[in-house]
Structures are given as structure tokens and as C-alpha cells.
DNA sequence: TATATATTTATAAAGATTATAATTTTGTAA
DNA sequence: TTACAAAATTATAATCTTTATAAATATATA
């Protein structure tokens, strides 16, 4: 995959959504597509500012809100005060490890939850979110060690 | 149910969790138990400050964090910047209407999601959350009317 | 009644997001 | 190419939510 064509593809996606493919927007979208870490605004900014020294955090906010409105990205709300973004729109759940802070994706099908569920049957469901918390297998295995990696609560 | 015994019961629940049943704590817990509106900190505060004129918002935060730690209440994270609280611990989903902002509970059983789900099988799941967004039946019926009630986005 | 401890309160501080206005970039037409 | 208009980006200020701190109040115990 050549860099040129890659950018071309990203541009096309943005254009299809009526979003002008500016340099910053392409970089942000590229960043989201290239990670599965569900980054926060802070993480996106601090990584990209190396490449784009003039980058402003307001641009990250503007861009992400734009992408969200165009359904190119979605917000992952797991902890308060920790808005994360995910480029993937397809339905999946998130698991956050309370020890190491990592967020894992897991496959999920929620269709059967809606049909046959009394109250929801007359509702129009636009968005389904599911997230679990607990301890991931990696941290479970290391539980003899006091604290492996930094925890993710930020508190 | 007499008021005296009601407060007595609430006190007992707090005491069982090693939480001293102060006047403010009883009032907050009573408030949570008496509503299904999944209130924000702001809503809890502004309602209770009528009864308790000296009440401080910091007390609400302290108390809710205390309850959360004792598993007497849980945080509902649906929108960013809108932490809501629910006194009910038992497993259920939340549906937020994007038109009127109301949050509905719906029954859900997520056990079958965990077992048989590859990645999760080796994880320790402590907490399961599920929330949907869309339009509730009430707003769907009123959709001819421009905007019934205030919307809940706060933006 | 003293004294120690815990709770509440008021205020300041920190952090995240949005709003505003100036600057820069981009696109278009002469 | 140049001039102009529109859009995007940037820097900064403002707002909002939550937490931290210290003083004041209330509670419990000896």
C-alpha cells in the first residue's frame, strides 16, 4: 500500500462525507484507523503534534466532533472525564482492564436483545453501546506481581 | 411505611456498609431510591438544597463517590460531561431518548454474552454496562409536533 | 464536660471542552 | 499570477465539571 494511495483513500472517504480533506483531518483519520488503542483527545494530540508542530488541540476537538457527526468515528464513554474515540463503527463491545487500563474490543451481537424486549419494541434504537470492566487475562496472570504497568483510572 | 422506619431502614443499609448515616447521606440515598430519573449531580444538589439550605455540592460528590465504592449506587456514563447516578445495582440496560432526554431502564441478561465469547473467557468481568440511544415511543408518537419537551443533549 | 475524630462546608485548583477572534490556508475568478 | 472570498486552523479565553484543601461544624467517646 503506497502512502500516496493510502492518503487518497482517506481523502475519498472524507469527501464522500462532505468533509474537506485538509492535512490535519487526514492525519487524524489516519491515526484513528491505524490504532486499536481507543485514544483520548490528549493522546491523539500529543502523538500528532510531533508531525504537525503547529497543531492545536482545538483542531483535534473540531475534527473529532466533525467525524462523529459524519459517523466516521464514535465516542467511547467508559469512565467519566475520559472521552475516547474509535474509528470503527461496526458493533462491538469494549472491555476496560481496571488494572492496566487497556481497552479491548470484543465481538457482540445485540440484535436479539432488542427484539423480544418489551419496552424497547416501540422505541427507535439508533445506537447500541456495551462495555465491561474487570481484569484482563494478562493482569490476572501477573497478579502475583504487585502492579504490572500503570493503572488506567487516572485518579 | 412510616417516615421513621424508612429512615431507620436507610440508616441500617448505610451502617451495614460501614458508612456513618449522617443527615446528608441519608437524604442523598433516600433521594436516589425515590427516583428513577437517573439524576445528575446537579439535579440531586438543586433538589436537595431546598431541604438542606447549607448543603454543599462537594458533599454530593463525596457522598456519591462513597456510595459508589460501597456499591450502593452506580455511575451511568452515557454522554460525556453528564455523569448520572442510579441506586439500583441489579443488571439492566439504559435507553436515552435523543429527543426528550429521558433515560429509561430496560431488562437485560448479559450472562450468555460472556460465556462463549472468546476473548472474555479468560477475563474477570466485574461490571457490565449497556446503553442504547434513539427515540422513545412517546416522542415517536409526537413526531408530528415539532419538539415536545426539552431535549437532553445540553449542548 | 473535654477531647478527638469524622463530616460538612466554602473556596481554590485542576482538567476537559467549547467559544471567540485573529491568522492562515484554500479555492476561484478576473 | 493576483485579488478576493470562504473555510480551516490556531491561540486564547471562557465555561463547566470534578477534585483538593483547609476551616468550621457536628458527632462520639472517655
Amino acid at each position: 500500500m503506497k502512502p500516496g494511495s493510502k492518503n487518497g483513500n482517506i481523502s475519498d472517504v472524507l469527501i464522500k462525507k462532505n468533509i474537506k480533506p485538509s492535512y490535519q483531518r487526514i492525519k487524524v483519520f489516519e491515526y484513528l484507523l491505524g490504532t486499536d488503542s481507543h485514544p483520548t483527545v490528549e493522546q491523539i494530540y500529543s502523538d500528532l503534534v510531533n508531525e504537525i508542530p503547529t497543531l492545536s488541540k482545538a483542531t483535534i476537538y473540531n475534527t473529532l466532533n466533525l467525524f462523529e457527526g459524519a459517523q466516521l468515528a464514535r465516542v467511547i464513554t467508559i469512565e467519566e472525564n475520559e472521552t475516547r474515540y474509535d474509528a470503527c463503527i461496526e458493533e462491538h463491545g469494549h472491555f476496560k482492564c481496571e488494572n492496566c487500563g487497556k481497552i479491548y474490543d470484543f465481538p457482540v451481537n445485540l440484535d436479539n436483545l432488542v427484539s423480544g424486549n418489551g419496552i424497547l419494541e416501540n422505541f427507535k434504537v439508533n445506537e447500541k453501546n456495551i462495555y465491561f470492566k474487570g481484569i484482563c487475562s494478562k493482569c490476572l496472570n501477573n497478579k502475583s506481581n504487585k502492579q504490572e504497568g500503570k493503572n488506567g483510572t487516572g485518579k
Side-chain angles (χ1 to χ4, degrees), chain A:
Chain A
M1 198 188 294
K2 287 167 290 181
S5 69
K6 195 177 163 196
N7 272 8
N9 289 340
I10 289 177
S11 282
D12 291 347
V13 175
L14 297 179
I15 290 168
K16 254 180 218 151
K17 294 284 191 174
N18 284 318
I19 295 172
K20 280 197 192 173
S22 74
Y23 180 64
Q24 289 85 344
R25 287 167 181 173
I26 289 173
K27 283 296 180 187
V28 171
F29 197 38
E30 202 176 66
Y31 182 91
L32 281 182
L33 291 174
T35 184
D36 64 345
S37 71
H38 314 84
T40 62
V41 169
E42 183 59 37
Q43 289 167 333
I44 299 170
Y45 171 77
S46 62
D47 281 350
L48 286 182
V49 80
N50 295 320
E51 274 189 272
I52 315 167
T54 62
L55 187 64
S56 164
K57 212 176 275 187
T59 300
I60 306 293
Y61 279 102
N62 290 339
T63 303
L64 291 172
N65 286 335
L66 200 63
F67 287 177
E68 200 194 346
Q71 294 190 300
L72 291 174
R74 79 176 340 185
V75 173
I76 305 175
T77 315
I78 295 186
E79 311 281 358
E80 332 77 87
N81 301 333
E82 186 192 73
T83 311
R84 292 171 174 272
Y85 285 84
D86 195 338
C88 186
I89 295 296
E90 56 190 72
E91 188 169 293
H92 63 271
H94 293 110
F95 177 96
K96 175 165 184 175
C97 177
E98 292 169 323
N99 184 250
C100 68
K102 183 169 180 201
I103 292 178
Y104 297 83
D105 292 334
F106 63 86
V108 74
N109 187 321
L110 298 173
D111 291 339
N112 52 349
L113 266 179
V114 179
S115 64
N117 197 314
I119 178 178
L120 291 178
E121 221 131 29
N122 297 317
F123 286 17
K124 182 169 179 293
V125 178
N126 293 330
E127 193 184 317
K128 289 175 260 182
N129 298 278
I130 183 162
Y131 66 92
F132 291 178
K133 290 188 204 171
I135 310 294
C136 72
S137 57
K138 205 171 145 202
C139 288
L140 283 176
N141 290 336
N142 293 338
K143 83 178 160 202
S144 47
N145 318 342
K146 278 291 175 235
Q147 174 111 323
E148 206 265 338
K150 55 210 162 210
N151 91 3
T153 66
K155 283 182 187 174

